Amino acid sequence: MKDYLIVHSSILPKYYYQVIKVRQFLQQNPNANVSKACKDEGISRSTYYKYKDYIFLPNEFNQQKAIISLDLSHEKGTLSKVLNTLSDFNTNILTISQALPINNVANVNISLDILNINNSLDDLIKALGNIKGVINAQLINLE
C-alpha cells in the first residue's frame, strides 16, 4: 500500500467528493446514465473516469479483491511457483487468464480474494516479483 496517502479532506479539491458521490449513485442505480449522474453532481465524465478507481472513503478501503498482472518467462514450473506463493499468503484465486507466450513471455492476470491475506499486498507483489521466472508483477486494481 506504499502508493497510498492519508490526507485530510480539507486540502483536497471538491471534485474528489463529487466523483465518490457519482460512483456511489451508479453502484446503487446500475441502470443510471453516467453522463447524467456526472452532470447532476457538477463534474465532467472525464473527471469521473480519471479518478473513479483511485479515490475511496475509508470505509470503502477494506479491500476484498485484487487483480494482479504478471509477465512470466516461458519456463516449466514458473506459474506453479506463483500459485504456491499466492497460497502461502493465504489468498484465494478467483480467476486466472493467461495469454500465449510471445518471445517466451506470457502475461497472466489473476484475480484474488484477499480478505484473509496474512501479510500486506505490497509484500505479496514483492514476493511474486522475486520468483525466478517472474519478469514483472504489479497490482492492477483493488475492489
Side-chain angles (χ1 to χ4, degrees), residues 15 18-19 22-23 26 32-53:
Y15 59 84
Q18 293 168 304
V19 168
V22 171
R23 185 179 59 230
L26 293 172
N33 181 290
V34 174
S35 295
K36 182 171 179 348
C38 290
K39 184 177 179 182
D40 290 349
E41 197 53 51
I43 60 171
S44 67
R45 281 182 53 228
S46 63
T47 297
Y48 171 72
Y49 283 113
K50 182 176 181 179
Y51 296 109
K52 73 178 184 73
D53 294 325

Side-chain angles (χ1 to χ4, degrees), residues 60-119:
E60 293 178 308
F61 210 67
N62 184 12
Q63 305 303 324
Q64 296 182 14
K65 295 178 188 137
I67 300 173
I68 56 172
S69 178
L70 304 153
D71 291 325
L72 307 179
S73 60
H74 187 58
E75 299 173 19
K76 182 178 178 180
T78 303
L79 182 57
S80 177
K81 292 174 193 171
V82 166
L83 299 178
N84 287 334
T85 300
L86 294 172
S87 177
D88 291 344
F89 275 75
N90 202 34
T91 65
N92 185 30
I93 297 169
L94 301 172
T95 64
I96 299 176
S97 175
Q98 179 176 351
L100 290 173
I102 298 175
N103 296 325
N104 286 323
V105 176
N107 179 261
V108 179
N109 289 322
I110 303 175
S111 61
L112 301 168
D113 178 340
I114 57 170
L115 186 59
N116 297 313
I117 193 167
N118 60 15
N119 219 323

Side-chain angles (χ1 to χ4, degrees), residues 81 85 123-137:
K81 292 174 193 171
T85 300
D123 289 340
L124 172 61
I125 300 299
K126 184 177 179 181
L128 292 170
N130 288 333
I131 296 172
K132 183 179 184 280
V134 174
I135 299 165
N136 185 36

Side-chain angles (χ1 to χ4, degrees), residues 11-22:
I11 68 168
L12 297 174
K14 178 183 174 187
Y15 59 84
Y16 283 1
Y17 279 107
Q18 293 168 304
V19 168
I20 290 170
K21 286 182 181 180
V22 171

